[in-house]
């Protein structure tokens, strides 16, 4: 065995011990949730606009406002993805530098009021983002609910009890009742076999399932932010305790230094008398 292998092994163990695994798991979960929400949500919104334009609102002026809102939401999605990519990296770096293993690797460090203030700011900001993402999670469930109602109506049309009967054409979905297009939009609702054809399109199938995945991604992001909040609170408490320990050690070192000075002066006086 080479003489450097035990030293290398110990170094690897110390490096692995310095990884903040809780922050790493939260970062991966946050990145995955945001990626699912932004990617799937962006494509699903585009598919929703296509379904409305082709089937429920043939007049462009009727859904012009909705198209502008969806386009704005797609730009917001770009901003959310960029912001959380940077914020996740910052929180991961904060986890690296506040773990106790880093102290063992790099020696004693001095905790400052500025460092504790920054850590507290991250706690507050993560709390605000968590509350905001709870709203995003609830909002992302709305299109899932809408598409589920359309899909369940199509399943009723396809059922043997109604398929091939005159009652099929009386089963309708009025998209205007959800408030996404005005009441004067034409045709606004689809019935019977025409509605079944919409459910069989690729745009409907993809948009429905992508909205489900986007909603799940928003939920995963909420869980990740709650995880981050617990980690940051623990780190902030660690820094607070470290600052108290630092103050205690400073006072103790000062007292020991004063005691040594007294002893040295006593020895000097004793030597002068002798």
């Amino acid at each position: 065995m080479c003489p450097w292998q035990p030293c290398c092994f110990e170094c690897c163990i110390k490096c692995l011990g310095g990884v903040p695994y809780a922050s790493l798991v939260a970062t991966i979960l946050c990145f995955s949730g945001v990626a699912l929400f932004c990617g799937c949500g962006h494509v699903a919104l585009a598919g929703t606009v296509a379904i409305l334009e082709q089937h429920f609102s043939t007049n462009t002026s009727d859904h012009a406002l909705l198209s502008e809102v969806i386009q704005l939401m797609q730009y917001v999605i770009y901003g959310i993805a960029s912001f959380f990519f940077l914020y996740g990296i910052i929180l991961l770096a904060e986890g690296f530098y506040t773990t106790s293993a880093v102290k063992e690797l790099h020696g004693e460090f001095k905790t400052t009021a500025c460092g504790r203030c920054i850590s507290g700011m991250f706690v507050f900001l993560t709390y605000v983002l968590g509350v905001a993402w709870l709203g995003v999670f609830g909002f992302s469930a709305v299109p899932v609910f809408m598409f589920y109602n359309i899909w369940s109506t199509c399943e009723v049309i396809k059922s043997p009890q109604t398929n091939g009967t005159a009652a099929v054409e009386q089963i309708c979905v009025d998209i205007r009742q959800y408030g996404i297009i005005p009441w004067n939009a034409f045709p606004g609702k689809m019935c019977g076999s025409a509605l079944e054809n919409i459910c069989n399109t690729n745009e409907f199938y993809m948009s429905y399932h992508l909205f489900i995945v986007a909603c799940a991604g928003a939920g995963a992001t909420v869980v990740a932010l709650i995880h981050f909040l617990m980690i940051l609170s623990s780190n902030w408490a660690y820094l607070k305790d470290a600052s108290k320990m630092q103050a205690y050690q400073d006072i103790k070192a000062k007292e020991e230094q004063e005691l040594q000075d007294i002893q040295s002066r006593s020895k000097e006086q004793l030597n002068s008398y002798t």
Side-chain angles (χ1 to χ4, degrees):
M1 180 179 294
C2 297
W4 53 267
Q5 288 183 352
C7 181
C8 182
F9 178 76
E10 293 178 0
C11 182
C12 291
I13 294 299
K14 288 184 178 180
C15 290
L16 291 176
V19 176
Y21 293 102
S23 297
L24 185 61
V25 171
T27 303
I28 294 174
L29 184 61
C30 182
F31 283 173
S32 301
V34 172
L36 289 175
F37 174 79
C38 294
C40 296
H42 185 276
V43 179
L45 288 172
T48 302
V49 173
I51 293 173
L52 290 174
E53 291 178 347
Q54 296 174 8
H55 304 286
F56 291 98
S57 181
T58 56
N59 190 358
T60 306
S61 61
D62 290 338
H63 59 270
L65 179 60
L66 177 64
S67 299
E68 293 178 358
V69 171
I70 290 179
Q71 186 177 11
L72 178 62
M73 292 175 63
Q74 290 176 332
Y75 285 120
V76 170
I77 284 176
Y78 297 146
I80 291 174
S82 302
F83 172 78
F84 271 90
F85 176 76
L86 295 177
Y87 190 67
I89 292 178
I90 292 173
L91 291 183
L92 182 61
E94 200 269 348
F96 268 103
Y97 283 102
T98 52
T99 182
S100 59
V102 173
K103 182 178 178 180
E104 296 177 1
L105 285 172
H106 301 285
E108 297 291 335
F109 65 94
K110 297 290 186 180
T111 58
T112 62
C114 180
R116 296 191 298 273
C117 181
I118 292 175
S119 182
M121 181 193 67
F122 280 135
V123 173
F124 174 76
L125 183 57
T126 304
Y127 175 80
V128 173
L129 291 174
V131 173
W133 269 97
L134 280 174
V136 173
F137 176 64
F139 179 76
S140 63
V142 174
V144 176
F145 173 75
M146 182 185 69
F147 273 84
Y148 174 77
N149 285 340
I150 299 175
W151 174 81
S152 60
T153 304
C154 291
E155 291 298 314
V156 173
I157 296 174
K158 296 177 183 178
S159 63
Q161 291 80 6
T162 57
N163 192 15
T165 63
V168 171
E169 299 302 325
Q170 298 178 0
I171 302 176
C172 303
V173 169
D174 193 345
I175 206 71
R176 295 171 296 186
Q177 66 182 345
Y178 297 105
I180 58 177
I181 57 176
W183 281 103
N184 58 356
F186 180 83
K189 68 176 183 179
M190 301 297 290
C191 304
S193 58
L195 179 61
E196 183 179 0
N197 292 333
I198 294 176
C199 293
N200 293 330
T201 59
N202 185 54
E203 289 84 1
F204 180 86
Y205 179 84
M206 289 295 297
S207 298
Y208 179 35
H209 289 85
L210 287 176
F211 272 127
I212 293 175
V213 177
C215 184
T221 305
V222 172
V223 174
L225 290 174
I226 294 175
H227 196 178
F228 267 130
L229 186 60
M230 293 188 294
I231 297 169
L232 291 170
S233 300
S234 175
N235 291 340
W236 183 80
Y238 168 74
L239 291 176
K240 185 178 180 181
D241 293 340
S243 65
K244 293 181 179 179
M245 182 61 67
Q246 173 186 330
Y248 169 75
Q249 291 176 351
D250 291 341
I251 295 173
K252 184 179 178 181
K254 184 178 180 181
E255 292 177 349
E256 290 178 351
Q257 183 64 35
E258 291 178 352
L259 181 59
Q260 291 178 359
D261 292 341
I262 293 173
Q263 291 176 350
S264 62
R265 285 196 301 268
S266 299
K267 290 180 180 180
E268 290 177 357
Q269 292 177 359
L270 181 61
N271 292 330
S272 64
Y273 288 139
T274 58

